Amino acid sequence: MGTESMTNAARRAMEQMYIDTCTISESTKSVDKTTHVTRLAWHVLAEDEPCRISFLSFPSNGKTDSADTMTQAVKVFLRPDIVVHPGCRIAVTRNGQIVNYRRSGPVAIYPTHQEIELVREEEHP
């Protein structure tokens, strides 16, 4: 088995673990021709894209007299040929629930997949 076919087999195996879907959106600037006002508009780069979200919890470094706090790191695993720029929004659907994130860290791209660190978008009332 050649290197390319082994990579393809590993990629297919990785993609079989994708139990979630996501929509990736990117903002672009557009200038209104009448008012000359620059606005940000969001457009979808990928929709219903198979993915897998992973959570890692660990104790926070801060010492307090109250209860210990936990910090959670969130990563999304995607196919390697989708380009996700800084500032993109990623809405992940898992078990029918949608959670909004944004890209927070550098993208780690491998022949079989890519890993992107995420930060949850805070919802404001």
Side-chain angles (χ1 to χ4, degrees):
M1 188 181 271
T3 304
E4 186 174 332
S5 60
M6 288 185 348
T7 300
N8 289 337
R11 180 175 171 172
R12 283 192 304 278
M14 184 77 173
E15 289 175 355
Q16 286 179 355
M17 295 189 297
Y18 294 172
I19 59 172
D20 309 311
T21 60
C22 68
T23 297
I24 303 167
S25 302
E26 182 176 51
S27 67
T28 56
K29 292 180 182 179
S30 63
V31 178
D32 185 302
K33 293 180 182 184
T34 306
T35 63
H36 303 287
V37 174
T38 302
R39 300 183 192 281
L40 286 179
W42 289 92
H43 69 275
V44 174
L45 296 176
E47 192 168 20
D48 293 326
E49 182 65 36
C51 66
R52 183 173 185 109
I53 197 148
S54 173
F55 302 95
L56 174 65
S57 296
F58 46 91
S60 178
N61 289 340
K63 293 269 186 188
T64 64
D65 292 333
S66 60
D68 290 335
T69 59
M70 297 292 285
T71 301
Q72 187 176 63
V74 181
K75 269 188 190 176
V76 66
F77 295 79
L78 296 164
R79 61 186 169 97
D81 47 344
I82 296 176
V83 178
V84 182
H85 296 109
C88 282
R89 290 180 178 167
I90 302 174
V92 178
T93 304
R94 174 177 267 190
N95 298 325
Q97 301 235 344
I98 299 171
V99 180
N100 294 308
Y101 297 94
R102 60 183 165 83
R103 184 187 136 186
S104 69
V107 178
I109 300 178
Y110 303 97
T112 56
H113 69 285
Q114 64 178 304
E115 300 174 16
I116 304 169
E117 293 180 30
L118 303 175
V119 172
R120 188 170 181 162
E121 286 277 317
E122 296 298 324
E123 295 181 16
H124 300 287

